[in-house]
PDB file of all heavy atoms in Angstrom:
ATOM      1  N   TYR R 274      23.725 -36.708 -18.867  1.00  0.00           N
ATOM      2  CA  TYR R 274      24.601 -35.871 -18.034  1.00  0.00           C
ATOM      3  C   TYR R 274      26.084 -35.949 -18.420  1.00  0.00           C
ATOM      4  O   TYR R 274      26.953 -35.805 -17.573  1.00  0.00           O
ATOM      5  CB  TYR R 274      24.426 -36.205 -16.549  1.00  0.00           C
ATOM      6  CG  TYR R 274      23.059 -35.856 -16.027  1.00  0.00           C
ATOM      7  CD1 TYR R 274      22.076 -36.836 -15.914  1.00  0.00           C
ATOM      8  CD2 TYR R 274      22.740 -34.547 -15.681  1.00  0.00           C
ATOM      9  CE1 TYR R 274      20.809 -36.526 -15.456  1.00  0.00           C
ATOM     10  CE2 TYR R 274      21.468 -34.219 -15.214  1.00  0.00           C
ATOM     11  CZ  TYR R 274      20.508 -35.213 -15.113  1.00  0.00           C
ATOM     12  OH  TYR R 274      19.247 -34.902 -14.666  1.00  0.00           O
ATOM     13  N   PHE R 275      26.379 -36.185 -19.696  1.00  0.00           N
ATOM     14  CA  PHE R 275      27.769 -36.035 -20.114  1.00  0.00           C
ATOM     15  C   PHE R 275      27.910 -34.788 -20.984  1.00  0.00           C
ATOM     16  O   PHE R 275      26.942 -34.288 -21.548  1.00  0.00           O
ATOM     17  CB  PHE R 275      28.301 -37.290 -20.831  1.00  0.00           C
ATOM     18  CG  PHE R 275      27.592 -37.659 -22.111  1.00  0.00           C
ATOM     19  CD1 PHE R 275      27.796 -36.962 -23.294  1.00  0.00           C
ATOM     20  CD2 PHE R 275      26.736 -38.761 -22.141  1.00  0.00           C
ATOM     21  CE1 PHE R 275      27.163 -37.318 -24.473  1.00  0.00           C
ATOM     22  CE2 PHE R 275      26.098 -39.129 -23.315  1.00  0.00           C
ATOM     23  CZ  PHE R 275      26.306 -38.403 -24.480  1.00  0.00           C
ATOM     24  N   TYR R 276      29.119 -34.283 -21.074  1.00  0.00           N
ATOM     25  CA  TYR R 276      29.388 -32.987 -21.691  1.00  0.00           C
ATOM     26  C   TYR R 276      29.264 -33.052 -23.216  1.00  0.00           C
ATOM     27  O   TYR R 276      29.883 -33.882 -23.869  1.00  0.00           O
ATOM     28  CB  TYR R 276      30.787 -32.527 -21.308  1.00  0.00           C
ATOM     29  CG  TYR R 276      31.205 -31.227 -21.945  1.00  0.00           C
ATOM     30  CD1 TYR R 276      30.591 -30.026 -21.598  1.00  0.00           C
ATOM     31  CD2 TYR R 276      32.235 -31.186 -22.889  1.00  0.00           C
ATOM     32  CE1 TYR R 276      30.977 -28.822 -22.170  1.00  0.00           C
ATOM     33  CE2 TYR R 276      32.630 -29.995 -23.462  1.00  0.00           C
ATOM     34  CZ  TYR R 276      31.994 -28.818 -23.105  1.00  0.00           C
ATOM     35  OH  TYR R 276      32.378 -27.633 -23.687  1.00  0.00           O
ATOM     36  N   ILE R 277      28.433 -32.166 -23.769  1.00  0.00           N
ATOM     37  CA  ILE R 277      28.313 -32.033 -25.222  1.00  0.00           C
ATOM     38  C   ILE R 277      28.604 -30.607 -25.677  1.00  0.00           C
ATOM     39  O   ILE R 277      28.644 -30.317 -26.878  1.00  0.00           O
ATOM     40  CB  ILE R 277      26.904 -32.445 -25.710  1.00  0.00           C
ATOM     41  CG1 ILE R 277      25.825 -31.602 -25.025  1.00  0.00           C
ATOM     42  CG2 ILE R 277      26.672 -33.934 -25.489  1.00  0.00           C
ATOM     43  CD1 ILE R 277      24.411 -31.870 -25.536  1.00  0.00           C
ATOM     44  N   GLY R 278      28.803 -29.701 -24.716  1.00  0.00           N
ATOM     45  CA  GLY R 278      29.096 -28.311 -25.060  1.00  0.00           C
ATOM     46  C   GLY R 278      27.906 -27.631 -25.711  1.00  0.00           C
ATOM     47  O   GLY R 278      26.749 -27.915 -25.414  1.00  0.00           O
ATOM     48  N   ASN R 279      28.193 -26.748 -26.646  1.00  0.00           N
ATOM     49  CA  ASN R 279      27.144 -26.018 -27.369  1.00  0.00           C
ATOM     50  C   ASN R 279      26.959 -26.548 -28.785  1.00  0.00           C
ATOM     51  O   ASN R 279      26.467 -25.842 -29.661  1.00  0.00           O
ATOM     52  CB  ASN R 279      27.495 -24.524 -27.416  1.00  0.00           C
ATOM     53  CG  ASN R 279      27.575 -23.916 -26.026  1.00  0.00           C
ATOM     54  OD1 ASN R 279      26.717 -24.177 -25.182  1.00  0.00           O
ATOM     55  ND2 ASN R 279      28.605 -23.120 -25.776  1.00  0.00           N
ATOM     56  N   SER R 280      27.360 -27.791 -29.006  1.00  0.00           N
ATOM     57  CA  SER R 280      27.339 -28.353 -30.356  1.00  0.00           C
ATOM     58  C   SER R 280      25.937 -28.673 -30.848  1.00  0.00           C
ATOM     59  O   SER R 280      25.704 -28.783 -32.046  1.00  0.00           O
ATOM     60  CB  SER R 280      28.187 -29.629 -30.388  1.00  0.00           C
ATOM     61  OG  SER R 280      27.605 -30.628 -29.560  1.00  0.00           O
ATOM     62  N   GLY R 281      24.991 -28.836 -29.915  1.00  0.00           N
ATOM     63  CA  GLY R 281      23.647 -29.236 -30.311  1.00  0.00           C
ATOM     64  C   GLY R 281      23.557 -30.720 -30.596  1.00  0.00           C
ATOM     65  O   GLY R 281      22.495 -31.249 -30.925  1.00  0.00           O
ATOM     66  N   SER R 282      24.668 -31.435 -30.484  1.00  0.00           N
ATOM     67  CA  SER R 282      24.712 -32.875 -30.732  1.00  0.00           C
ATOM     68  C   SER R 282      24.348 -33.635 -29.465  1.00  0.00           C
ATOM     69  O   SER R 282      24.449 -33.117 -28.354  1.00  0.00           O
ATOM     70  CB  SER R 282      26.109 -33.284 -31.204  1.00  0.00           C
ATOM     71  OG  SER R 282      26.246 -34.686 -31.239  1.00  0.00           O
ATOM     72  N   LYS R 283      23.933 -34.870 -29.637  1.00  0.00           N
ATOM     73  CA  LYS R 283      23.643 -35.731 -28.506  1.00  0.00           C
ATOM     74  C   LYS R 283      24.856 -36.577 -28.128  1.00  0.00           C
ATOM     75  O   LYS R 283      24.804 -37.368 -27.186  1.00  0.00           O
ATOM     76  CB  LYS R 283      22.459 -36.650 -28.815  1.00  0.00           C
ATOM     77  CG  LYS R 283      21.139 -35.906 -29.015  1.00  0.00           C
ATOM     78  CD  LYS R 283      20.011 -36.879 -29.279  1.00  0.00           C
ATOM     79  CE  LYS R 283      18.685 -36.143 -29.468  1.00  0.00           C
ATOM     80  NZ  LYS R 283      17.569 -37.089 -29.720  1.00  0.00           N
ATOM     81  N   ASN R 284      25.938 -36.397 -28.885  1.00  0.00           N
ATOM     82  CA  ASN R 284      27.131 -37.200 -28.683  1.00  0.00           C
ATOM     83  C   ASN R 284      28.243 -36.386 -28.019  1.00  0.00           C
ATOM     84  O   ASN R 284      28.223 -35.153 -28.050  1.00  0.00           O
ATOM     85  CB  ASN R 284      27.637 -37.727 -30.032  1.00  0.00           C
ATOM     86  CG  ASN R 284      26.614 -38.590 -30.727  1.00  0.00           C
ATOM     87  OD1 ASN R 284      25.979 -39.441 -30.102  1.00  0.00           O
ATOM     88  ND2 ASN R 284      26.426 -38.369 -32.026  1.00  0.00           N
ATOM     89  N   PRO R 285      29.225 -37.064 -27.418  1.00  0.00           N
ATOM     90  CA  PRO R 285      30.373 -36.347 -26.861  1.00  0.00           C
ATOM     91  C   PRO R 285      31.092 -35.544 -27.936  1.00  0.00           C
ATOM     92  O   PRO R 285      30.966 -35.822 -29.134  1.00  0.00           O
ATOM     93  CB  PRO R 285      31.262 -37.482 -26.328  1.00  0.00           C
ATOM     94  CG  PRO R 285      30.329 -38.619 -26.080  1.00  0.00           C
ATOM     95  CD  PRO R 285      29.284 -38.513 -27.150  1.00  0.00           C
TER      96      PRO R 285
END
Side-chain angles (χ1 to χ4, degrees):
Y274 294 98
F275 62 76
Y276 177 68
I277 58 175
N279 298 316
S280 65
S282 170
K283 295 182 180 180
N284 300 316

